Amino acid sequence: MGYYDDHSPHTQQKRSRRRWVMPTIVGGILGAVLVLLALPALVQTELLPYDMTIPEDESGLVDDNQGLTGDTKSVSVDVTTQITDVVEQVTPTVVGVVNLQTRENFWQEGAEDSSQQAGVGSGVIYKKEDGTAYAVTNNHVIEGASEIEVVLADETRIKAELIGGDVFTDLAVLEMPGDQVEQVAELGSSENLKVGEPAIAIGNPLGLSFAGSVTQGIISGKERAIPQDFNGDGLEDWQAEVIQTDAAINPGNSGGALINIEGQLIGINSMKIAQSSVEGIGFAIPIDSAKPIIDELEQKGQVDRPYIGIEAYGLDEVPTSEWNNTLNLPEDVEGGLYIRSIRQMSPAAKAGLEPLDVITALDGEPVEDIIDLRKYLYNEKDPGEEMDITYYRDGEQQTTTITLGSQE
């Protein structure tokens, strides 16, 4: 059996060596940490000269032969982009539109009535000809105005005149002296827009204090149908087909420009869904739909639309009991347009239509509500043209031909 002497000189030397190795390692680590922590303070108090300037040659690469000392170079950053270029180009064509309305002075007898600001929107100068400039805006921006002022990008105010407005497309055209107008917007096309392509909105959100505000987004959708109630009765009177974008469009932006990445006008900003739970949804009237309306307003002061002279409602708004007891409709009739009243001497009256008649087709095209009727009339027909109407009276299907009048 072997014998191990734990108290031999060799063993004691090994133990002694182990005792100082570990403290040495720990001390080295602590010393390095202390140096790193103290280095910035030493440099700042200039107790330790320390220059970290790295020289660059003309190619922008570090020259290893020059060490860590040398002269510094200033760097110039160019933030000009295609977006900033088109914004700079288009912004002068976007104006403020001020709706001034006359207020009667009840307190001072003989005092003149005064005009007060009733609202502010935006507009786009799209044409300058023979010393006159023309701007398009939303009809609701200038509705009820006794006077209209246009505020240019340089804050110059010009008195403008309303040529005409259209409630269905929410468009209006203004004219003003063109001597201070230098730029007009370039009209693009909305037909070939692609979902996802960039879109830029320019206008005056929340009033002239934020004039010329720019927001960027994308085209979120095309040909969106947005219901509109013109008379506040809770029933849909029309459906506007609009472009959807997530570029921020707020009150005051109405009538402003929606442009593409080329700086071309592709839409007239019109409305925003005002719900706290909805963000990033704005709408614009497609420029391809707006162009013919703008031209007609400029030339005639109004949009001539076909007219038949009836007050009507969709059958879905009529109680089922009235379907059976009053209208006597066959069971296979599932929808139609119920005539409530007819204007005297109107095209409908001349064609022999009567209250309680139910229209089911126009030129063979099914119709179920007032929106279907208006869309067919306004998009497919002109005043003076004839139109075949299929309708039911006392349960019997009949047909008549109507000569369309002109809506005043």
Side-chain angles (χ1 to χ4, degrees):
M1 170 181 277
Y3 176 77
Y4 179 76
D5 184 4
D6 191 43
H7 300 285
S8 66
H10 179 71
T11 302
Q12 291 178 355
Q13 289 177 358
K14 292 173 65 178
R15 285 183 174 179
S16 176
R17 190 180 299 117
R18 285 197 295 269
R19 288 193 187 98
W20 61 261
V21 169
M22 184 57 66
T24 301
I25 294 174
V26 173
I29 294 173
L30 291 174
V33 172
L34 291 173
V35 170
L36 291 175
L37 293 174
L39 183 59
L42 293 173
V43 173
Q44 188 172 3
T45 57
E46 298 183 354
L47 294 176
L48 179 64
Y50 192 75
D51 190 354
M52 284 299 293
T53 303
I54 301 178
E56 295 185 358
D57 60 16
E58 292 181 356
S59 65
L61 301 176
V62 176
D63 186 352
D64 292 335
N65 295 326
Q66 295 183 16
L68 296 178
T69 61
D71 298 330
T72 60
K73 282 189 175 182
S74 62
V75 179
S76 176
V77 180
D78 184 5
V79 295
T80 301
T81 65
Q82 187 172 2
I83 292 178
T84 59
D85 286 341
V86 300
V87 167
E88 184 177 2
Q89 169 191 339
V90 177
T91 296
T93 71
V94 180
V95 298
V97 178
V98 182
N99 181 326
L100 299 172
Q101 298 185 10
T102 302
R103 305 294 184 187
E104 295 183 3
N105 194 324
F106 294 101
W107 304 106
Q108 296 182 6
E109 186 176 351
E112 293 184 359
D113 296 341
S114 60
S115 294
Q116 298 182 7
Q117 181 174 301
V120 177
S122 304
V124 183
I125 299 175
Y126 68 91
K127 180 180 178 180
K128 181 180 177 182
E129 185 177 78
D130 298 329
T132 301
Y134 300 85
V136 58
T137 185
N138 286 152
N139 184 71
H140 74 263
V141 169
I142 52 81
E143 192 170 14
S146 53
E147 294 181 41
I148 300 172
E149 284 186 346
V150 167
V151 184
L152 303 181
D154 62 1
E155 299 185 359
T156 301
R157 288 180 176 252
I158 303 175
K159 185 176 180 180
E161 297 292 336
L162 174 64
I163 298 179
D166 179 56
V167 66
F168 286 96
T169 56
D170 196 24
L171 292 172
V173 173
L174 311 175
E175 66 176 1
M176 72 205 81
D179 53 339
Q180 299 186 68
V181 174
E182 297 181 357
Q183 291 181 246
V184 299
E186 178 186 355
L187 301 187
S189 174
S190 54
E191 180 180 1
N192 298 320
L193 288 177
K194 296 181 179 179
V195 174
E197 73 171 88
I200 303 167
I202 305 178
N204 308 313
L206 308 179
L208 297 176
S209 298
F210 298 91
S213 293
V214 178
T215 55
Q216 180 190 3
I218 61 171
I219 300 297
S220 305
K222 300 166 57 179
E223 299 179 354
R224 300 297 199 204
I226 305 300
Q228 296 185 62
D229 175 14
F230 298 135
N231 54 15
D233 62 358
L235 302 177
E236 296 180 10
D237 298 309
W238 184 246
Q239 283 186 336
E241 292 187 0
V242 295
I243 301 169
Q244 179 188 338
T245 178
D246 66 347
I249 298 175
N250 296 287
N253 272 116
S254 291
L258 187 70
I259 61 175
N260 60 18
I261 199 65
E262 301 296 329
Q264 298 170 328
L265 185 66
I266 57 174
I268 306 299
N269 299 330
S270 182
M271 65 193 97
K272 184 180 187 296
I273 294 181
Q275 295 181 9
S276 59
S277 60
V278 178
E279 292 292 339
I281 299 181
F283 300 102
I285 304 165
I287 195 63
D288 288 349
S289 301
K291 279 179 182 178
I293 302 298
I294 293 172
D295 290 342
E296 192 165 356
L297 288 174
E298 184 183 324
Q299 295 168 10
K300 301 179 181 179
Q302 64 180 19
V303 177
D304 289 332
R305 290 194 170 94
Y307 161 78
I308 61 175
I310 64 173
E311 180 187 359
Y313 300 91
L315 280 178
D316 57 352
E317 300 169 26
V318 178
T320 305
S321 58
E322 191 169 345
W323 281 40
N324 301 326
N325 301 332
T326 305
L327 304 180
N328 299 318
L329 292 172
E331 293 183 359
D332 59 345
V333 175
E334 298 180 352
L337 195 61
Y338 160 76
I339 299 178
R340 181 174 181 177
S341 64
I342 297 178
R343 292 188 180 181
Q344 294 182 355
M345 304 303 295
S346 66
K350 294 177 180 178
L353 292 174
E354 298 177 1
L356 302 184
D357 288 347
V358 176
I359 299 173
T360 57
L362 307 173
D363 289 334
E365 296 292 328
V367 58
E368 295 189 358
D369 54 33
I370 194 65
I371 294 178
D372 289 343
L373 171 66
R374 287 173 173 161
K375 280 193 171 183
Y376 187 78
L377 285 177
Y378 299 167
N379 296 337
E380 306 296 334
K381 292 292 185 177
D382 291 317
E385 291 186 346
E386 293 186 344
M387 180 175 69
D388 293 332
I389 295 181
T390 303
Y391 65 98
Y392 281 85
R393 179 181 296 169
D394 295 328
E396 298 292 330
Q397 187 184 72
Q398 301 186 38
T399 301
T400 187
T401 299
I402 188 173
T403 301
L404 298 172
S406 178
Q407 187 177 40
E408 298 180 358

PDB file of all heavy atoms in Angstrom, residues 357-372:
ATOM      1  N   ASP A 357     -97.824  53.538 -58.031  1.00  0.00           N
ATOM      2  CA  ASP A 357     -97.181  52.682 -59.032  1.00  0.00           C
ATOM      3  C   ASP A 357     -95.818  52.250 -58.501  1.00  0.00           C
ATOM      4  O   ASP A 357     -95.146  52.981 -57.762  1.00  0.00           O
ATOM      5  CB  ASP A 357     -96.989  53.422 -60.356  1.00  0.00           C
ATOM      6  CG  ASP A 357     -98.301  53.632 -61.095  1.00  0.00           C
ATOM      7  OD1 ASP A 357     -99.297  52.993 -60.711  1.00  0.00           O
ATOM      8  OD2 ASP A 357     -98.316  54.443 -62.051  1.00  0.00           O
ATOM      9  N   VAL A 358     -95.389  51.050 -58.891  1.00  0.00           N
ATOM     10  CA  VAL A 358     -94.090  50.517 -58.455  1.00  0.00           C
ATOM     11  C   VAL A 358     -93.236  50.246 -59.688  1.00  0.00           C
ATOM     12  O   VAL A 358     -93.550  49.362 -60.497  1.00  0.00           O
ATOM     13  CB  VAL A 358     -94.257  49.225 -57.635  1.00  0.00           C
ATOM     14  CG1 VAL A 358     -92.887  48.640 -57.276  1.00  0.00           C
ATOM     15  CG2 VAL A 358     -95.056  49.502 -56.368  1.00  0.00           C
ATOM     16  N   ILE A 359     -92.183  51.034 -59.854  1.00  0.00           N
ATOM     17  CA  ILE A 359     -91.275  50.878 -60.990  1.00  0.00           C
ATOM     18  C   ILE A 359     -90.305  49.739 -60.697  1.00  0.00           C
ATOM     19  O   ILE A 359     -89.661  49.705 -59.637  1.00  0.00           O
ATOM     20  CB  ILE A 359     -90.492  52.182 -61.247  1.00  0.00           C
ATOM     21  CG1 ILE A 359     -91.460  53.317 -61.576  1.00  0.00           C
ATOM     22  CG2 ILE A 359     -89.474  52.006 -62.364  1.00  0.00           C
ATOM     23  CD1 ILE A 359     -90.774  54.670 -61.685  1.00  0.00           C
ATOM     24  N   THR A 360     -90.157  48.811 -61.635  1.00  0.00           N
ATOM     25  CA  THR A 360     -89.250  47.673 -61.446  1.00  0.00           C
ATOM     26  C   THR A 360     -88.110  47.635 -62.452  1.00  0.00           C
ATOM     27  O   THR A 360     -87.121  46.924 -62.235  1.00  0.00           O
ATOM     28  CB  THR A 360     -90.031  46.349 -61.546  1.00  0.00           C
ATOM     29  OG1 THR A 360     -90.706  46.287 -62.808  1.00  0.00           O
ATOM     30  CG2 THR A 360     -91.045  46.233 -60.410  1.00  0.00           C
ATOM     31  N   ALA A 361     -88.211  48.398 -63.567  1.00  0.00           N
ATOM     32  CA  ALA A 361     -87.135  48.357 -64.559  1.00  0.00           C
ATOM     33  C   ALA A 361     -87.123  49.637 -65.389  1.00  0.00           C
ATOM     34  O   ALA A 361     -88.169  50.248 -65.640  1.00  0.00           O
ATOM     35  CB  ALA A 361     -87.287  47.141 -65.471  1.00  0.00           C
ATOM     36  N   LEU A 362     -85.909  50.054 -65.796  1.00  0.00           N
ATOM     37  CA  LEU A 362     -85.702  51.185 -66.697  1.00  0.00           C
ATOM     38  C   LEU A 362     -84.968  50.678 -67.931  1.00  0.00           C
ATOM     39  O   LEU A 362     -83.838  50.181 -67.810  1.00  0.00           O
ATOM     40  CB  LEU A 362     -84.873  52.288 -66.004  1.00  0.00           C
ATOM     41  CG  LEU A 362     -85.367  52.782 -64.650  1.00  0.00           C
ATOM     42  CD1 LEU A 362     -84.351  53.729 -64.025  1.00  0.00           C
ATOM     43  CD2 LEU A 362     -86.718  53.476 -64.809  1.00  0.00           C
ATOM     44  N   ASP A 363     -85.626  50.762 -69.085  1.00  0.00           N
ATOM     45  CA  ASP A 363     -85.049  50.200 -70.320  1.00  0.00           C
ATOM     46  C   ASP A 363     -84.626  48.755 -70.122  1.00  0.00           C
ATOM     47  O   ASP A 363     -83.601  48.293 -70.643  1.00  0.00           O
ATOM     48  CB  ASP A 363     -83.841  51.025 -70.778  1.00  0.00           C
ATOM     49  CG  ASP A 363     -84.235  52.387 -71.319  1.00  0.00           C
ATOM     50  OD1 ASP A 363     -85.376  52.527 -71.799  1.00  0.00           O
ATOM     51  OD2 ASP A 363     -83.400  53.311 -71.256  1.00  0.00           O
ATOM     52  N   GLY A 364     -85.410  48.034 -69.336  1.00  0.00           N
ATOM     53  CA  GLY A 364     -85.115  46.620 -69.099  1.00  0.00           C
ATOM     54  C   GLY A 364     -84.119  46.360 -67.986  1.00  0.00           C
ATOM     55  O   GLY A 364     -83.886  45.201 -67.622  1.00  0.00           O
ATOM     56  N   GLU A 365     -83.514  47.421 -67.404  1.00  0.00           N
ATOM     57  CA  GLU A 365     -82.550  47.260 -66.314  1.00  0.00           C
ATOM     58  C   GLU A 365     -83.271  47.318 -64.971  1.00  0.00           C
ATOM     59  O   GLU A 365     -83.992  48.278 -64.705  1.00  0.00           O
ATOM     60  CB  GLU A 365     -81.490  48.355 -66.377  1.00  0.00           C
ATOM     61  CG  GLU A 365     -80.622  48.331 -67.619  1.00  0.00           C
ATOM     62  CD  GLU A 365     -79.718  47.114 -67.645  1.00  0.00           C
ATOM     63  OE1 GLU A 365     -79.311  46.648 -66.557  1.00  0.00           O
ATOM     64  OE2 GLU A 365     -79.414  46.623 -68.755  1.00  0.00           O
ATOM     65  N   PRO A 366     -83.099  46.308 -64.109  1.00  0.00           N
ATOM     66  CA  PRO A 366     -83.796  46.288 -62.823  1.00  0.00           C
ATOM     67  C   PRO A 366     -83.445  47.505 -61.967  1.00  0.00           C
ATOM     68  O   PRO A 366     -82.316  47.991 -61.985  1.00  0.00           O
ATOM     69  CB  PRO A 366     -83.295  44.997 -62.158  1.00  0.00           C
ATOM     70  CG  PRO A 366     -82.811  44.148 -63.290  1.00  0.00           C
ATOM     71  CD  PRO A 366     -82.272  45.103 -64.314  1.00  0.00           C
ATOM     72  N   VAL A 367     -84.436  47.998 -61.222  1.00  0.00           N
ATOM     73  CA  VAL A 367     -84.220  49.123 -60.322  1.00  0.00           C
ATOM     74  C   VAL A 367     -84.921  48.817 -59.006  1.00  0.00           C
ATOM     75  O   VAL A 367     -86.050  48.312 -58.996  1.00  0.00           O
ATOM     76  CB  VAL A 367     -84.746  50.439 -60.946  1.00  0.00           C
ATOM     77  CG1 VAL A 367     -86.215  50.328 -61.279  1.00  0.00           C
ATOM     78  CG2 VAL A 367     -84.513  51.608 -60.018  1.00  0.00           C
ATOM     79  N   GLU A 368     -84.238  49.082 -57.894  1.00  0.00           N
ATOM     80  CA  GLU A 368     -84.795  48.736 -56.591  1.00  0.00           C
ATOM     81  C   GLU A 368     -84.927  49.924 -55.649  1.00  0.00           C
ATOM     82  O   GLU A 368     -85.683  49.854 -54.681  1.00  0.00           O
ATOM     83  CB  GLU A 368     -83.944  47.654 -55.917  1.00  0.00           C
ATOM     84  CG  GLU A 368     -83.959  46.328 -56.661  1.00  0.00           C
ATOM     85  CD  GLU A 368     -83.289  45.220 -55.871  1.00  0.00           C
ATOM     86  OE1 GLU A 368     -82.780  45.511 -54.766  1.00  0.00           O
ATOM     87  OE2 GLU A 368     -83.281  44.075 -56.347  1.00  0.00           O
ATOM     88  N   ASP A 369     -84.186  51.004 -55.895  1.00  0.00           N
ATOM     89  CA  ASP A 369     -84.274  52.158 -54.997  1.00  0.00           C
ATOM     90  C   ASP A 369     -83.945  53.427 -55.765  1.00  0.00           C
ATOM     91  O   ASP A 369     -83.632  53.393 -56.953  1.00  0.00           O
ATOM     92  CB  ASP A 369     -83.359  51.987 -53.775  1.00  0.00           C
ATOM     93  CG  ASP A 369     -81.916  51.683 -54.164  1.00  0.00           C
ATOM     94  OD1 ASP A 369     -81.462  52.179 -55.218  1.00  0.00           O
ATOM     95  OD2 ASP A 369     -81.237  50.963 -53.419  1.00  0.00           O
ATOM     96  N   ILE A 370     -83.999  54.560 -55.065  1.00  0.00           N
ATOM     97  CA  ILE A 370     -83.793  55.852 -55.706  1.00  0.00           C
ATOM     98  C   ILE A 370     -82.358  56.003 -56.213  1.00  0.00           C
ATOM     99  O   ILE A 370     -82.107  56.693 -57.209  1.00  0.00           O
ATOM    100  CB  ILE A 370     -84.146  56.992 -54.725  1.00  0.00           C
ATOM    101  CG1 ILE A 370     -84.266  58.334 -55.466  1.00  0.00           C
ATOM    102  CG2 ILE A 370     -83.137  57.070 -53.598  1.00  0.00           C
ATOM    103  CD1 ILE A 370     -85.389  58.406 -56.445  1.00  0.00           C
ATOM    104  N   ILE A 371     -81.402  55.332 -55.564  1.00  0.00           N
ATOM    105  CA  ILE A 371     -80.012  55.411 -56.021  1.00  0.00           C
ATOM    106  C   ILE A 371     -79.859  54.729 -57.370  1.00  0.00           C
ATOM    107  O   ILE A 371     -79.184  55.237 -58.278  1.00  0.00           O
ATOM    108  CB  ILE A 371     -79.062  54.800 -54.970  1.00  0.00           C
ATOM    109  CG1 ILE A 371     -79.078  55.645 -53.696  1.00  0.00           C
ATOM    110  CG2 ILE A 371     -77.647  54.693 -55.523  1.00  0.00           C
ATOM    111  CD1 ILE A 371     -78.221  55.094 -52.586  1.00  0.00           C
ATOM    112  N   ASP A 372     -80.506  53.557 -57.538  1.00  0.00           N
ATOM    113  CA  ASP A 372     -80.479  52.876 -58.841  1.00  0.00           C
ATOM    114  C   ASP A 372     -81.073  53.763 -59.931  1.00  0.00           C
ATOM    115  O   ASP A 372     -80.536  53.849 -61.045  1.00  0.00           O
ATOM    116  CB  ASP A 372     -81.264  51.563 -58.767  1.00  0.00           C
ATOM    117  CG  ASP A 372     -80.556  50.494 -57.950  1.00  0.00           C
ATOM    118  OD1 ASP A 372     -79.342  50.653 -57.715  1.00  0.00           O
ATOM    119  OD2 ASP A 372     -81.211  49.521 -57.552  1.00  0.00           O
TER     120      ASP A 372
END
